[in-house]
Amino acid sequence: IYEMPLRLDEQNPKQALFFPVRGAFLRHDARSTPRLIGGSRLSGLTLVLDTPVVMDALGHHGPVPASAMTHVLDMARKQGAQVVMFDHSVSEMDGILEAIEGHLRRGGLSRATSTGYLHFAETGASPADLAVVREHLADQLADAGISVVDRPDDYRKYGLDEEKLDEKIHSRVRYLQDAARVNDVRSLSAVHRLRRGERSKTLERCRAVMMTSNINLVRGAIDFRDENSFPLAATAEAVASLLWARSPALAPDVPREMVLATAYVGMQPSPTLWAKYVAEVESLEKSGRVSADDAVVLRSTRIGRDAFMAESLGEADAVVDELPIAVLERVRGAISNPLLSEVGELESRLAQSDAVANHATVDWLRQVEAREQAEKDAAVKAAESSELQARLWALEDSETKKRQRIRDRARLIARRWVRGIAWTVRGAALLLAAVAAYVLFSSKDLSTGLPALLVGIVGIASFALPFMPRMDAVLSRLEVRIARRGERQRLIVAGFDPGPVTEASIR
């Protein structure tokens, strides 16, 4: 970390020791010896932001500058610096956003060349979006940690020669509008008054400095400055270099972010160069050499801007009347070449697909034939299986019916046997009772008739016995046994497996 004055060496930029600053370089004075000042804070420094720098920080110039500026401002605040912008700069930024809103309403007919317009046009923002941005501008500044302050009024005590300052700046900067130069003079004069008459060659002790992205404005401020004081303005890259050199650990990504932002800006055409190119496009459009649609592509699209930078390499001398034609050819090539390549690739894939499809068709036909044959075989097998199943069901039904007939026949025969036995017993009992009655009635001797009476009683009882319930159950069981034995024998004779014959099957 070194204490050093700001000095721009335009004669020998290769001797510069720090980051490039858009055409100029920050280096230490070879006549002085660097002095370590690590540990000092920037609590007494007010970092005044120029309007383009604030546009960068709020993302109105694209995401790459926004990321870099956010890191730089965070690093400044961590080191104790106060980050502010003047109220007239806020009004200037609102006017810029209002102008962008108006150009967006014109669409492809707009001839705007500002970085902010190009960013919002590329992102597809509408005029309503810009109206919302303007309405919430104060909130966006607060979210970015940027305070809005008034200019100091002590002109008499700490004033400077604003006419001389305006002359120096006007000799360095080519303003498209006088209002922008007036605002820059006001800002530099206010920075001078913020220093309250103190002079210091270092950023740490100068009390206030304006951070801008306009290198020519910095040159004008250096032309005006007192040799014993730090310039009233410094580029964002120079401030970032000094802040990062003081404390690299606070923001290790700042160098990479600044290099990316510088490269991003270097890839964009400057407003002056772009305005000259747009004028050439408009001239060709009026002459009929470029159609209205082609003119919109050339001046209002990212691909048109990229093709312009590729053709011109950012050189103003390259902007001639034939340049838009060359840019248009490059744009068409950039659009058509990928499409032609894609078409060729698609045709190659189509040819491969056709070959695969033909081969697949043959295989598919074979598979179809095999599937049809298999379906026919399956249908034949299914028919045979159905026929066999029907025959099996018929055989089972026939067997069941035969078994049932055998069972019914055995039960009928058993019933006849039981009934025959019962009526035989009854007949014998009745005959016995009749003989006893005859003996009883024909005998005159009681001693002889008493046995006959007993025999008659026994006979009558024997006749009534088969009609009693208990005897009926015995006869039923006898009938079941006879039927079971008869069924088993008949099943064996018929060729069936008799299996276990139960009482339930008999019934």
Side-chain angles (χ1 to χ4, degrees):
I1 304 172
Y2 297 103
E3 178 183 19
M4 64 187 69
L6 183 68
R7 182 178 178 182
L8 297 172
D9 191 344
E10 300 178 358
Q11 301 298 326
N12 193 6
K14 292 184 178 180
Q15 299 300 321
L17 299 181
F18 277 83
F19 301 146
V21 188
R22 293 180 185 170
F25 293 82
L26 177 66
R27 59 169 293 175
H28 76 288
D29 192 341
R31 297 169 297 178
S32 63
T33 302
R35 181 167 61 88
L36 183 67
I37 57 171
S40 63
R41 287 177 56 78
L42 300 179
S43 56
L45 176 65
T46 299
L47 200 59
V48 180
L49 305 184
D50 193 12
T51 301
V53 173
V54 179
M55 294 281 286
D56 284 346
L58 298 184
H60 298 335
H61 287 165
V64 176
S67 177
M69 195 54 59
T70 299
H71 280 83
V72 173
L73 297 183
D74 287 343
M75 184 170 55
R77 280 188 290 267
K78 288 178 181 179
Q79 296 189 32
Q82 184 182 6
V83 180
V84 303
M85 70 180 300
F86 292 129
D87 52 357
H88 68 269
S89 296
V90 177
S91 300
E92 181 184 13
M93 184 163 60
D94 182 70
I96 294 174
L97 294 174
E98 184 179 7
I100 294 174
E101 181 181 348
H103 286 295
L104 289 176
R105 286 195 177 92
R106 299 184 62 187
L109 299 177
S110 175
R111 302 297 188 270
T113 60
S114 67
T115 306
Y117 166 75
L118 297 178
H119 165 68
F120 284 111
E122 287 174 6
T123 56
S126 65
D129 296 329
L130 265 294
V132 173
V133 171
R134 293 178 57 201
E135 183 180 357
H136 296 87
L137 185 56
D139 296 334
Q140 294 174 20
L141 293 173
D143 293 340
I146 302 173
S147 303
V148 180
V149 298
D150 299 330
R151 290 176 293 161
D153 294 329
D154 43 1
Y155 283 91
R156 295 181 180 178
K157 189 173 182 180
Y158 303 112
L160 51 73
D161 189 350
E162 292 188 359
E163 292 184 1
K164 181 180 178 182
L165 177 62
D166 182 81
E167 180 183 350
K168 294 293 185 182
I169 292 176
H170 188 65
S171 65
R172 287 284 190 176
V173 186
R174 296 180 181 179
Y175 288 97
L176 299 178
Q177 297 179 352
D178 292 337
R181 188 183 75 255
V182 172
N183 283 330
D184 287 342
V185 172
R186 289 178 179 177
S187 298
L188 292 176
S189 178
V191 169
H192 174 75
R193 291 194 299 278
L194 286 175
R195 293 183 176 183
R196 307 184 66 81
E198 295 187 10
R199 296 181 180 181
S200 176
K201 294 183 179 181
T202 64
L203 177 68
E204 293 81 2
R205 297 187 179 89
C206 71
R207 296 182 66 91
V209 66
M210 178 178 174
M211 187 168 75
T212 180
S213 58
N214 191 336
I215 181 61
N216 291 322
L217 178 61
V218 174
R219 287 170 175 162
I222 292 175
D223 293 340
F224 177 79
R225 72 163 180 158
D226 185 347
E227 292 184 357
N228 294 321
S229 63
F230 195 86
L232 295 174
T235 61
E237 291 87 347
V239 175
S241 300
L242 292 172
L243 293 176
W244 185 81
R246 287 175 50 82
S247 184
L250 288 179
D253 294 333
V254 164
R256 180 178 63 85
E257 296 288 345
M258 293 304 296
V259 169
L260 290 176
T262 302
Y264 177 82
V265 173
M267 294 170 62
Q268 311 304 314
S270 66
T272 304
L273 182 63
W274 186 250
K276 185 178 180 181
Y277 168 73
V278 169
E280 292 293 341
V281 172
E282 188 172 359
S283 175
L284 291 175
E285 183 182 2
K286 290 180 180 179
S287 65
R289 297 181 62 187
V290 172
S291 67
D293 292 338
D294 290 338
V296 171
V297 172
L298 290 174
R299 65 171 174 258
S300 302
T301 61
R302 161 61 64 183
I303 189 173
R305 236 174 348 269
D306 292 343
F308 165 73
M309 290 299 292
E311 288 289 335
S312 66
L313 299 179
E315 297 293 338
D317 296 339
V319 182
V320 294
D321 55 354
E322 295 298 328
L323 179 62
I325 303 298
V327 172
L328 185 60
E329 292 299 326
R330 181 179 285 269
V331 169
R332 289 172 178 171
I335 295 175
S336 61
N337 290 340
L339 293 178
L340 292 176
S341 177
E342 185 175 354
V343 168
E345 184 178 356
L346 289 176
E347 290 178 350
S348 176
R349 291 182 180 178
L350 182 60
Q352 294 178 359
S353 299
D354 289 339
V356 173
N358 293 333
H359 183 71
T361 301
V362 174
D363 292 341
W364 179 76
L365 291 175
R366 292 175 181 174
Q367 292 178 3
V368 170
E369 293 176 356
R371 184 165 57 250
E372 291 177 352
Q373 185 62 39
E375 290 177 353
K376 291 180 180 179
D377 295 342
V380 172
K381 296 295 183 182
E384 294 178 355
S385 177
S386 299
E387 183 180 357
L388 292 176
Q389 187 69 32
R391 292 175 59 185
L392 178 61
W393 287 342
L395 291 174
E396 290 179 352
D397 184 65
S398 176
E399 182 180 352
T400 302
K401 289 180 179 180
K402 286 183 179 180
R403 284 179 176 272
Q404 186 63 37
R405 287 196 298 270
I406 291 173
R407 186 179 297 113
D408 294 341
R409 181 66 178 171
R411 186 167 51 192
L412 178 61
I413 294 174
R415 185 177 296 115
R416 289 177 179 177
W417 272 94
V418 170
R419 286 180 181 179
I421 293 174
W423 282 109
T424 300
V425 171
R426 290 172 183 169
L430 184 60
L431 179 60
L432 181 61
V435 172
Y438 175 78
V439 172
L440 178 63
F441 288 114
S442 63
S443 176
K444 295 180 180 181
D445 187 0
L446 293 175
S447 60
T448 305
L450 183 58
L453 179 61
L454 293 175
V455 171
I457 293 173
V458 172
I460 293 172
S462 298
F463 179 78
L465 184 63
F467 295 97
M468 297 182 68
R470 183 180 298 275
M471 191 61 184
D472 187 60
V474 172
L475 294 176
S476 296
R477 285 196 295 272
L478 179 60
E479 180 182 346
V480 169
R481 290 182 179 178
I482 295 173
R484 186 186 307 168
R485 182 175 298 174
E487 178 183 355
R488 185 176 182 83
Q489 291 176 353
R490 284 176 173 78
L491 287 175
I492 293 174
V493 172
F496 294 108
D497 181 12
V501 181
T502 61
E503 183 176 350
S505 64
I506 296 299
R507 293 180 181 178

